[in-house]
Amino acid sequence: MQYKSIGIEYPKRIRIKNKLYDIDLESARDENTFSIVIPKDYVKKFVIKLIEYDFKDALPSIYKGEIFGLSRPIESPWELHIRIFNHDDKYSKIFAHIEISRNYIEHLFMVQPVIYEVTSYIDSPYYILYEPESKKVSRIIENRKILLSPPENLMEWRPYMDIAYNEINELKYNFRGIIKKIDEFLHDYSD
């Protein structure tokens, strides 16, 4: 199956107060460069809105302390994954990325942080936080265009899990037979 590449935009140059920051490509691929900060009392409404747009629990997923983790397919094989964390008494933080669908093993290795793909769902005041300095971004001056290309071949993990499950069941069955023979031997030996 031929999968499509998708393009995103990500901040390349930002302003924080009167200082300019250039975001290099390595930082643009780091999930901890930017977060989106929303009022804590808006989180439930935001999550309900995401569910209305067909977001589902992001499972399976590695838990990172988030209060909500939701994902939604955007174009095969890509999906948008949004994690919402408590920040302080008044605010919550959103970290988001586009990744290969969790149906594939490559899901673990292809992740690109995003901002704009999330802000389109937010209908509350928010701001973007530059995480390395924990400072509010005053303005995004320039964006970088990033093309995400899927690998030529994707491997679904479920068939491998089915094989592993069947192998484990066979081992369990064989192990029960061994235990039964040991039990019979010990029973006969004790008589």
Side-chain angles (χ1 to χ4, degrees), residues 113-163:
V114 293
I115 293 175
Y116 305 115
E117 289 74 6
V118 178
T119 59
S120 63
Y121 294 102
I122 300 173
D123 56 7
S124 170
Y126 69 88
Y127 63 89
I128 297 168
L129 190 69
Y130 181 56
E131 287 289 332
E133 295 189 15
S134 292
K135 293 183 179 175
K136 182 179 176 180
V137 173
S138 307
R139 185 166 172 240
I140 296 172
I141 307 295
E142 182 181 356
N143 286 304
R144 172 188 317 275
K145 292 185 186 308
I146 298 174
L147 183 66
L148 302 176
S149 298
E152 288 184 27
N153 298 306
L154 292 172
M155 290 179 21
E156 289 189 47
W157 61 268
R158 282 191 174 100
Y160 295 101
M161 293 303 291
D162 290 344
I163 291 169

Side-chain angles (χ1 to χ4, degrees), residues 54-119:
D54 293 327
F55 279 82
K56 309 261 188 272
D57 279 333
L59 296 173
S61 181
I62 297 170
Y63 178 70
K64 295 185 177 182
E66 64 270 22
I67 55 175
F68 292 101
L70 300 166
S71 67
R72 174 182 179 270
I74 48 178
E75 185 171 334
S76 186
W78 304 103
E79 67 181 45
L80 175 59
H81 185 184
I82 297 174
R83 295 177 191 261
I84 305 168
F85 297 83
N86 284 322
H87 177 48
D88 59 27
D89 291 343
K90 295 182 182 180
Y91 296 99
S92 293
K93 280 186 187 179
I94 300 169
F95 289 88
H97 55 263
I98 289 178
E99 59 195 351
I100 294 288
S101 166
R102 57 197 67 248
N103 293 333
Y104 302 101
I105 292 171
E106 292 79 4
H107 166 81
L108 300 169
F109 311 108
M110 296 197 68
V111 174
Q112 172 58 55
V114 293
I115 293 175
Y116 305 115
E117 289 74 6
V118 178
T119 59

Side-chain angles (χ1 to χ4, degrees), residues 3 7 9 19 24 26 28-29 35 51 73 76 110 114 127 134 138 177:
Y3 297 107
E9 289 192 353
K19 187 175 178 185
D24 62 24
E26 184 178 332
R29 297 199 187 281
S35 65
I51 291 168
S76 186
M110 296 197 68
V114 293
Y127 63 89
S134 292
S138 307

